[in-house]
Amino acid sequence: MSLQQVAIIGGGAAGLIAAGRVGELGLKAILFEKNKVLGRKVLISGKGRCNVTNDGDIETFMKNYNGKGRFLYSSFNKFFNNDLKILLNKYGVELKVERGERIFPVSDKAQDIVTALTSYVQAGAAEIRNEEVVEIVQEEGAIKGVRTANKFVECSAVIVATGGKSYSATGSTGDGYKWATEIGHTVITPRPALVPLNIMDDWVKELQGLALKNIEVTLWKEKKLLAKEFGEMLFTHFGVSGPIILTLSRRVVEDNSKKGMYLTINLKPALDEEKLDNRLQRDFKKYQRKQLRNALDDLLPQRLIPVVIAQSDVSADKFVHQVTKEDRKRLINTLKALKMTVLGTRSLAEAIVTAGGVNLKEVNPKTMESKLVKGLYFAGEVLDIDGNTGGYNLQAAFSTGYLAGESSTLEQ
């Protein structure tokens, strides 16, 4: 039997909580992180605010993993959002619930989450090594240890929590996939999930930095409705991003050709066409002496006005009293379905999450242990599971990491 200590590879969300749980249960944990900083991806999540989890129940969570939620059932039963709240509170982090049941630290600082998780690891007397693991060593179907550039470290279990290949600048370079394949595991081809979209239309790029809230975006393939989301989006120098765009991106990734795909934005989803027409007429009455370009300030962000007018094919120089019923109809059609052509997604390096990874059929969901090698565990994004935006991916990492950490100690 190997020395009774557990090696955890990867100091992100899954690895930190796994190391903390191993130490909490009395075994020595050695956490290997090749970066000098722990939790680099956690630090940039939620634009530095860290949407750490969601306040929904387990059944709500199950629906947010693209058909693979049942794999997480045991993990969630072992360690779920309330358990995470208690743990973070214990280490000084106050939390708040925002729109969509998303949970953030009150401070709006992701650093507070990483600091709390690091304190949890240190409380269990885990050893943190800023070294890169180059090999996982196993003999006759059982873990023997890990090898770094300088030495062999004997251990009774190894937890692979190296993340996927998204945001590779944070260190997620797919190392876990390589080791899993070498050992005999099947790795589902990594691909981007929750990724911004490239848009063909030049006017989109001119709106760079403009964020829209409470809008509805619909994804189409030619004339076929593929998906629809309500919430927030952002215009960028290459196209569009933001929560609802990231969620819709999965359907773009799944389509091989990308031809004939486009988005429509309903800028006023709360108003039907009749109510929107009434609203336009009220605004036009208010600004009846102005040109159309100066009569929509109450309805739209200023930067969006010339775009909507141009896409409606109505003259911006028309005075409001000259705008016809047909002109209003064209404006309404544009406000309800502002169209843009999708070219495809940004690269995997820019994706928030990786889809694909270690085949779930080869991992025991009750323990996170490999079905091929005794003492080998997987946790977090290295697994072939990815969730929607809203705190679901981080909670999956925390839950699988916690379960892997606990299982690695109980089965020695």
Side-chain angles (χ1 to χ4, degrees):
M1 173 66 72
S2 299
L3 188 64
Q4 298 295 293
Q5 59 186 18
V6 179
I8 300 96
I9 311 174
L16 285 168
I17 211 155
R21 185 57 175 158
V22 169
E24 191 173 28
L25 292 175
L27 248 66
K28 181 176 181 181
I30 305 175
L31 177 62
F32 292 91
E33 171 51 59
K34 63 184 179 181
N35 290 319
K36 292 181 180 180
V37 178
L38 294 171
R40 281 186 66 183
K41 195 170 178 183
V42 177
L43 289 171
I44 64 172
S45 67
K47 296 181 180 178
R49 295 177 61 221
C50 190
N51 178 191
V52 71
T53 186
N54 192 283
D55 213 27
D57 59 19
I58 285 184
E59 290 308 315
T60 299
F61 269 73
M62 292 292 126
K63 298 171 185 175
N64 278 279
Y65 297 96
N66 304 295
K68 297 178 180 177
R70 302 311 297 182
F71 178 85
L72 295 168
Y73 197 79
S74 294
S75 299
F76 287 161
N77 272 308
K78 178 61 65 174
F79 186 83
F80 197 43
N81 49 13
N82 284 329
D83 304 298
L84 179 63
K85 289 185 224 174
I86 291 168
L87 177 64
L88 293 174
N89 287 162
K90 178 181 178 181
Y91 289 100
V93 179
E94 292 183 55
L95 300 166
K96 61 182 177 180
V97 181
E98 296 189 0
R99 184 188 58 78
E101 302 297 298
R102 299 165 187 237
I103 295 178
F104 293 84
V106 169
S107 65
D108 285 330
K109 294 180 180 177
Q111 180 63 62
D112 291 351
I113 302 297
V114 175
T115 299
L117 294 173
T118 304
S119 297
Y120 178 47
V121 172
Q122 292 169 338
E127 181 181 351
I128 300 173
R129 298 188 187 180
N130 290 118
E131 295 180 67
E132 183 173 358
V133 172
V134 297
E135 183 185 5
I136 296 174
V137 181
Q138 56 100 16
E139 289 180 12
E140 299 177 353
I143 284 294
K144 294 299 177 184
V146 299
R147 198 180 304 281
T148 67
N150 302 317
K151 67 187 80 169
F152 170 74
V153 180
E154 186 181 5
C155 54
S156 52
V158 172
I159 300 172
V160 178
T162 49
K165 292 190 75 172
S166 57
Y167 279 152
S168 55
T170 64
S172 297
T173 51
D175 298 340
Y177 303 143
K178 177 175 69 75
W179 297 325
T181 302
E182 289 172 353
I183 284 169
H185 274 279
T186 306
V187 172
I188 309 301
T189 303
R191 56 199 186 280
L194 302 184
V195 63
L197 299 178
N198 289 317
I199 300 296
M200 183 175 73
D201 309 76
D202 289 336
W203 62 262
V204 171
K205 302 169 184 64
E206 292 170 4
L207 294 174
Q208 178 183 349
L210 177 64
L212 300 178
K213 296 182 178 181
N214 301 317
I215 49 97
E216 185 178 76
V217 178
T218 306
L219 175 66
W220 303 84
K221 172 77 170 180
E222 294 172 342
K223 293 185 178 181
K224 181 182 178 182
L225 171 65
L226 297 181
K228 184 184 296 185
E229 293 290 333
F230 175 86
E232 301 176 22
M233 65 164 285
L234 173 72
F235 291 101
T236 71
H237 67 283
F238 54 77
V240 288
S241 187
I244 60 177
I245 298 298
L246 298 177
T247 299
L248 290 169
S249 69
R250 165 169 280 276
R251 298 302 300 271
V252 180
V253 172
E254 291 171 351
D255 186 274
N256 292 325
S257 72
K258 311 290 186 291
K259 291 181 179 179
M261 299 191 87
Y262 61 94
L263 298 172
T264 56
I265 307 175
N266 185 344
L267 295 164
K268 297 295 171 183
L271 302 176
D272 60 25
E273 291 186 10
E274 183 180 353
K275 290 179 180 176
L276 185 53
D277 189 29
N278 291 336
R279 169 66 192 273
L280 274 177
Q281 291 185 67
R282 285 199 304 272
D283 285 359
F284 288 173
K285 187 175 181 180
K286 179 179 178 181
Y287 298 111
Q288 56 186 312
R289 296 185 179 181
K290 294 191 174 184
Q291 291 175 305
L292 181 59
R293 69 172 77 251
N294 299 315
L296 297 174
D297 287 4
D298 295 350
L299 190 67
L300 295 169
Q302 198 166 44
R303 291 176 63 193
L304 197 54
I305 293 172
V307 170
V308 168
I309 294 174
Q311 296 302 306
S312 303
D313 198 24
V314 179
S315 172
D317 296 328
K318 267 192 177 183
F319 283 91
V320 167
H321 69 270
Q322 296 175 314
V323 174
T324 66
K325 183 178 180 180
E326 186 58 36
D327 290 336
R328 287 203 318 272
K329 185 176 180 180
R330 288 202 294 271
L331 283 166
I332 290 166
N333 288 341
T334 303
L335 289 165
K336 298 295 285 183
L338 181 60
K339 183 179 177 181
M340 61 191 79
T341 302
V342 176
L343 292 174
T345 68
R346 300 296 283 177
S347 70
L348 181 53
E350 294 180 53
I352 291 177
V353 175
T354 306
V358 177
N359 194 328
L360 300 183
K361 293 178 181 178
E362 300 169 357
V363 179
N364 184 346
K366 294 182 179 179
T367 61
M368 292 297 121
E369 186 174 22
S370 163
K371 292 180 180 179
L372 308 183
V373 179
K374 182 172 175 54
L376 176 65
Y377 299 81
F378 295 99
E381 196 181 346
V382 72
L383 292 161
D384 178 27
I385 191 161
D386 60 283
N388 294 327
T389 57
Y392 299 108
N393 287 292
L394 271 178
Q395 183 62 58
F398 291 132
S399 295
T400 55
Y402 189 94
L403 179 58
E406 181 167 306
S407 301
S408 70
T409 66
L410 296 179
E411 297 192 12
Q412 306 310 318

